[in-house]
Amino acid sequence: MSSITVCLKKSVMPDHNHQQNGETSPDQPSDERFGLSRREFMRLASLSAAGVFTGSMMAGCGELWERQDVIPVESWHQGVCRFCGTGCGIQIGMADGKVVDVKGDPAAHNRGRLCIKGILNREILYVEDRLLYPMIRKNGEMERVSWDEAMDLIASRFNQSITENGPDSVAYFGSGQLFTEESYSANKLFKAGIGTNNVDGNPRLCMASAAVGYTTVFGKDEPMGCYEDTDHADCFFITGSNMADCHPIVWERVLDRKRARPDTYIIVVDPRKTNTAKRADLHLQIRPGTDVALYNSMIYEFFRRGTIDQEMVDDYLRFQHGSDTITIEQFRSNLENYSPEQAASICGISAEQIRQAAFRFGDSDASMSFWTMGLNQQTQGTASNQLVMAMHLLTGQIGRPGATPFSLTGQPNAGGGVRDTGSLAHALPNGRAVTNPQHRREMEELWNVPEGTISPNRGHDAMSLFQAMGRGDVNCTLIMSTNPMQSLPNILPYREAMEQTFVVVADAFHPTETTKYADVILPAAMWVEKSGVFSQSERRYHYVPKLVEPRGEARSDFDILIDLADRLGHSDLFPNRTQADIWDEWRKISAHSDYNFEGITYERLQNQPGLLWPCPDEDHPGTCRRYLPGEDPMATEENVRHDFYGRPDGRPIIFMHEQEPAFEPTDDEYPLTLTTGRVLEHWHTETMTRRVKELQGVRTDFLEVHPADARIYNLVEGDAVRVISRRGEADFTARITDNIREGLIFATFHSAKHLINKVTSDAVDPLSRQPDYKRCAVKIEKV
């Protein structure tokens, strides 16, 4: 396959910044002669692949570069990026039956832009270590077998466990990277066929707190706004999100707004001075896990400054502490503990910064919040989500262009594929809950199964599932399109649990840290080797076409699930046996809910870059903003400002919260705090990106250490350093930087060789059951 080399043609433009000396040192890539770091050049090259440049992107280059085709392409096809939840529209170039080029779709929300990972979609099908045929562990070694032998063994072991130990002895662990048709089918098989709610997946690790936040506040999951809101906001409140590295195309749209309207104000809340924070007008570099104190203090300021929207309070909101209804006076009384001075001492920032943030947010014509893992992956992740939503509701910064709380997703289909389909241990499709008898009966009727088929008990969530495997309560587990033996926190005991469980892994790659522990591995088709629907952060469903045949003997995860259903005796559950027919089944089921997207057909998706739900019929254009009469087709109340139809009384809930102490405070033995995250060029556990040769030189083995801490531990740049917690240890290379707070260290979770999840804690948020990857007590030592 082709390399990442991009042919760039210079356009006429004054050269103000070009260095006079064009030579580079032997250890520098040639792009540094333009005054750019390697990462900056890669970012620019990826964005230029769409022929798109803006003023900030040209800084330091001195010339405008235009993309030139260098690979002959026979045909172009509309598609969607395989990576993050931004869901960028792409055009896929084909030649000789292979993907040979990818470029951004100018008709899509990303305006033709792609990041470096987006461009490298063209490489991922053809990298080394693709799993090409089924394998079974025999005498401790993986051996190639036929599909029939593999599936017979899987069905035999699952049936045996169900017969001897009941349906809750088996489980499914899925992914926000499967197509919606695949996650929907897995959920249906296990809950309506086998009869267990042991259905969960990696979205529990990244999005659960946001989902619970939206559901508990508004009664329905998923953001109410859309990417278009970015074009109207006057203030951006970006908290727990390094958008510049993790959602770079959405970040570029934020910068578009800043360029078009320079007095647009950007606030970033992050313990690190990230690439996002460096562009902020105000950076609140708080201590990890102190978000509740910060948001309480900002709300305190809203009341003090008189920026509370009294109409919202009187006509649209109610207040709760836990499950107890409280008055607004009780809510305000709690805020007296969070004056800016009090909160500043908790958060480690100044009181003036808090006041400034509150003023900018509350006084703006339109404030838009973005957040992701930094907010969600905390033991108070749900509380933090609820309070950000409260900030919008109390100030009326909601339900108009540019004013919305917007949670960014990390995977290409965690929203539509998992949250909307109810493919989690507590959920049923379209916002239903397994513990609600009416919801269970509705789905039993829609799925045409007898009353009482769906279990009334919550299944095992992600962490609980692997703990149950360790206890022997779950004997068989099917894992699809994810790598939990690297991505779970406190990984070591869960690897032991895998060794005593019959584990089936369907993946496109082998080896991974998870396939190493499997009893059976099944080769899965990926991306355009199959067809289906993704849904990204703004509720946009979009279609991925099948363009190439799967490698080797690989099959789609959908075909694997249908085969398993047949062998387990649940053929009748799947009268629809193609992805297209399953999609039609699913969209018709959605019509029985407020998530209605019955009008989003394959035909419509194949002819435009996606549609936003609700979209109840085939003539509907899709919905940018929910809960607005006249715009949201589900909002039927007349003569009202908002119709919050997810709540029986039409009133979203403002929750009162206290800042809790760290679940694992630092002490003399473990005096530092560890937080984790990502880099621009790699994604998740590097299962795909580490195998792309153009990205293999991008290091993820570093540990960020503040210079003051480096002095204490006698560390210099490049030293080998070991991170140690009460659970485990991992080795890294020291990166000394003041981009991080003193007393805090940072590592990515990308590298399997330098596995930080041996160190992290598996403490979870009590409501969302999402683990806290952002704060645990550690020590370091020079190796």
Side-chain angles (χ1 to χ4, degrees):
M1 292 306 296
S2 61
S3 75
I4 192 60
T5 301
V6 179
C7 182
L8 300 171
K9 177 184 176 182
K10 283 191 276 188
S11 297
V12 178
M13 183 175 179
D15 183 351
H16 299 298
N17 300 309
H18 195 119
Q19 296 179 11
Q20 295 301 309
N21 181 6
E23 296 182 359
T24 58
S25 64
D27 60 344
Q28 283 183 317
S30 61
D31 43 271
E32 293 199 359
R33 64 173 179 253
F34 299 115
L36 299 172
S37 70
R38 180 179 184 279
R39 298 190 74 210
E40 288 169 338
F41 177 78
M42 292 181 78
R43 176 171 169 271
L44 294 177
S46 61
L47 289 164
S48 76
V52 178
F53 264 96
T54 59
S56 73
M57 299 178 208
M58 293 185 289
C61 291
E63 289 142 319
L64 177 63
W65 299 88
E66 295 178 354
R67 185 180 192 278
Q68 300 294 304
D69 290 333
V70 295
I71 304 169
V73 173
E74 296 172 357
S75 60
W76 290 97
H77 304 264
Q78 177 184 282
V80 186
C81 179
R82 172 60 179 79
F83 289 99
C84 81
T86 300
C88 290
I90 60 177
Q91 295 177 357
I92 304 166
M94 298 292 298
D96 297 326
K98 289 186 176 182
V99 175
V100 296
D101 204 359
V102 165
K103 60 185 179 182
D105 185 349
H109 71 84
N110 46 304
R111 301 169 172 173
R113 293 169 171 155
L114 293 176
C115 74
I116 188 67
K117 295 187 293 293
I119 288 296
L120 288 171
N121 276 281
R122 71 186 186 192
E123 308 294 333
I124 59 177
L125 298 180
Y126 308 108
V127 297
E128 295 180 354
D129 295 334
R130 284 295 305 271
L131 180 58
L132 301 178
Y133 39 77
M135 303 181 79
I136 289 176
R137 190 173 302 281
K138 298 180 178 181
N139 300 317
E141 301 293 331
M142 299 305 296
E143 294 185 10
R144 178 177 180 175
V145 297
S146 68
W147 270 100
D148 275 340
E149 183 177 351
M151 295 304 296
D152 281 345
L153 175 62
I154 296 166
S156 172
R157 292 295 297 267
F158 269 70
N159 270 326
Q160 179 183 358
S161 184
I162 294 166
T163 301
E164 295 177 359
N165 304 294
D168 287 337
S169 67
V170 302
Y172 166 81
F173 192 80
S175 168
Q177 299 166 53
L178 295 170
F179 287 140
T180 298
E181 299 89 334
E182 294 167 335
S183 290
Y184 169 82
S185 298
N187 196 37
K188 184 180 184 183
L189 170 59
F190 277 77
K191 290 178 181 173
I194 294 171
T196 180
N197 292 325
N198 288 342
V199 173
D200 219 70
N202 62 15
R204 179 74 65 177
L205 309 179
C206 60
M207 295 310 307
S209 294
V212 174
Y214 280 119
T215 303
T216 53
V217 171
F218 297 100
K220 299 296 177 186
D221 188 15
E222 298 277 23
M224 64 213 61
C226 55
Y227 291 144
E228 183 189 294
D229 284 309
T230 310
D231 306 332
H232 303 280
D234 299 315
C235 176
F236 291 100
F237 186 73
I238 302 168
T239 180
S241 173
N242 181 12
M243 293 175 70
D245 284 358
C246 302
H247 296 88
I249 303 305
V250 183
W251 174 240
E252 283 297 329
R253 194 157 177 172
V254 171
L255 295 182
D256 283 346
R257 177 62 172 168
K258 181 77 168 177
R259 287 183 281 265
R261 188 181 183 278
D263 57 349
T264 299
Y265 203 79
I266 300 176
I267 304 167
V268 173
V269 182
D270 199 301
R272 299 171 62 228
K273 195 185 302 179
T274 63
N275 288 326
T276 310
K278 290 173 184 177
R279 297 297 299 269
D281 296 289
L282 177 63
H283 177 204
L284 305 181
Q285 196 169 2
I286 65 171
R287 296 186 179 105
T290 60
D291 297 80
V292 167
L294 173 63
Y295 309 143
N296 273 338
S297 189
M298 291 179 66
I299 296 171
Y300 171 98
E301 282 291 290
F302 297 155
F303 278 102
R304 187 184 71 82
R305 291 176 179 272
T307 51
I308 295 296
D309 187 323
Q310 198 59 45
E311 181 187 3
M312 287 293 294
V313 172
D314 293 342
D315 297 342
Y316 294 98
L317 304 178
R318 60 188 173 96
F319 296 81
Q320 281 187 202
H321 184 207
S323 59
D324 297 328
T325 298
I326 60 173
T327 66
I328 189 173
E329 289 76 21
Q330 289 172 300
F331 181 80
R332 288 195 65 177
S333 176
N334 179 63
L335 297 178
E336 293 300 320
N337 300 316
Y338 297 96
S339 69
E341 286 73 20
Q342 291 167 295
S345 66
I346 297 170
C347 298
I349 57 177
S350 73
E352 180 54 33
Q353 287 178 303
I354 297 174
R355 292 192 187 95
Q356 178 75 349
F359 167 71
R360 292 289 183 171
F361 184 102
D363 199 59
S364 167
D365 288 339
S367 291
M368 185 176 189
S369 294
F370 284 111
W371 71 92
T372 184
M373 311 311 167
L375 211 64
N376 299 332
Q377 292 176 335
Q378 302 183 34
T379 51
Q380 284 196 282
T382 299
S384 298
N385 272 266
Q386 290 171 338
L387 286 172
V388 170
M389 295 171 199
M391 288 165 55
H392 283 269
L393 288 163
L394 287 166
T395 58
Q397 295 283 5
I398 198 164
R400 63 179 189 275
T404 193
F406 197 112
S407 164
L408 292 164
T409 50
Q411 298 184 87
N413 204 23
V418 177
R419 289 158 67 176
D420 296 353
T421 64
S423 299
L424 293 166
H426 66 282
L428 289 169
N430 302 126
R432 297 176 176 89
V434 299
T435 55
N436 185 312
Q438 179 182 343
H439 291 176
R440 292 197 304 275
R441 190 66 199 119
E442 287 172 359
M443 286 312 305
E444 287 165 347
E445 291 175 356
L446 290 168
W447 278 338
N448 195 29
V449 296
E451 184 173 357
T453 297
I454 298 175
S455 170
N457 304 315
R458 284 179 60 118
H460 288 297
D461 58 80
M463 303 314 304
S464 171
L465 170 60
F466 287 91
Q467 290 160 2
M469 290 163 61
R471 296 191 303 269
D473 295 338
V474 170
N475 302 317
C476 299
T477 300
L478 170 61
I479 299 172
M480 299 188 108
S481 193
T482 187
N483 189 16
M485 289 302 98
Q486 184 176 340
S487 61
L488 289 177
N490 186 24
I491 196 67
L492 295 177
Y494 303 120
R495 290 185 168 193
E496 295 176 7
M498 290 276 283
E499 291 177 338
Q500 59 192 61
T501 306
F502 180 75
V503 175
V504 181
V505 177
D507 207 312
F509 299 94
H510 174 69
T512 70
E513 294 304 295
T514 302
T515 63
K516 292 176 183 178
Y517 290 85
D519 296 280
V520 181
I521 53 177
L522 303 174
M526 65 178 293
W527 194 43
V528 294
E529 293 174 341
K530 56 184 182 178
S531 62
V533 174
F534 277 159
S535 172
Q536 35 80 312
S537 297
E538 63 170 351
R539 294 172 285 107
R540 181 184 297 272
Y541 283 122
H542 39 200
Y543 179 74
V544 178
K546 180 179 178 180
L547 299 176
V548 301
E549 290 303 315
R551 298 278 302 276
E553 299 177 14
R555 297 179 180 178
S556 73
D557 297 87
F558 176 80
D559 289 338
I560 294 169
L561 288 161
I562 295 299
D563 189 353
L564 179 60
D566 291 344
R567 293 170 191 265
L568 293 178
H570 298 297
S571 298
D572 292 346
L573 198 60
F574 292 95
N576 297 311
R577 306 181 75 79
T578 68
Q579 286 96 323
D581 289 340
I582 283 288
W583 176 256
D584 283 341
E585 173 185 324
W586 172 223
R587 66 184 179 87
K588 290 173 183 176
I589 282 178
S590 80
H592 298 267
S593 75
D594 290 329
Y595 290 59
N596 192 341
F597 53 87
E598 187 176 12
I600 302 181
T601 64
Y602 263 23
E603 182 178 6
R604 294 185 75 188
L605 292 179
Q606 288 164 353
N607 289 286
Q608 58 186 305
L611 286 162
L612 284 72
W613 62 264
C615 183
D617 60 67
E618 294 182 33
D619 294 322
H620 195 276
T623 303
C624 273
R625 297 172 189 89
R626 297 165 80 191
Y627 309 130
L628 294 185
E631 183 166 351
D632 183 347
M634 314 310 293
T636 57
E637 289 290 323
E638 297 181 355
N639 302 316
V640 294
R641 182 174 161 189
H642 305 280
D643 179 3
F644 294 112
Y645 50 79
R647 283 280 163 211
D649 61 358
R651 289 177 175 260
I653 299 171
I654 305 295
F655 285 92
M656 185 178 82
H657 289 289
E658 298 275 11
Q659 175 67 54
E660 296 177 357
F663 67 90
E664 187 180 59
T666 57
D667 55 25
D668 290 343
E669 185 177 3
Y670 297 96
L672 302 175
T673 299
L674 168 70
T675 194
T676 65
R678 310 171 183 227
V679 298
L680 168 69
E681 298 86 353
H682 283 290
W683 197 67
H684 284 207
T685 60
E686 298 180 339
T687 305
M688 291 182 285
T689 55
R690 180 56 64 185
R691 291 175 165 91
V692 175
K693 64 180 180 353
E694 290 82 2
L695 298 180
Q696 289 171 358
V698 178
R699 298 184 65 170
T700 55
D701 64 344
F702 62 88
L703 182 78
E704 288 188 353
V705 182
H706 189 274
D709 296 317
R711 188 175 299 112
I712 293 172
Y713 292 95
N714 193 30
L715 293 172
V716 298
E717 184 80 14
D719 275 351
V721 57
R722 180 165 296 149
V723 186
I724 305 167
S725 74
R726 292 175 174 86
R727 292 158 293 281
E729 60 187 46
D731 291 350
F732 295 88
T733 300
R735 176 179 290 177
I736 313 303
T737 175
D738 62 2
N739 287 341
I740 199 161
R741 291 180 59 100
E742 186 175 352
L744 181 68
I745 61 174
F746 168 84
T748 78
F749 75 103
H750 296 307
S751 174
K753 184 177 179 181
H754 306 273
L755 187 52
I756 195 60
N757 281 328
K758 293 178 181 179
V759 180
T760 50
S761 167
D762 53 5
V764 298
D765 179 289
L767 294 178
S768 69
R769 309 298 296 170
Q770 180 166 354
D772 189 333
Y773 291 88
K774 300 304 182 185
R775 179 171 59 165
C776 70
V778 297
K779 58 185 175 182
I780 60 175
E781 62 183 33
K782 189 173 182 177
V783 180

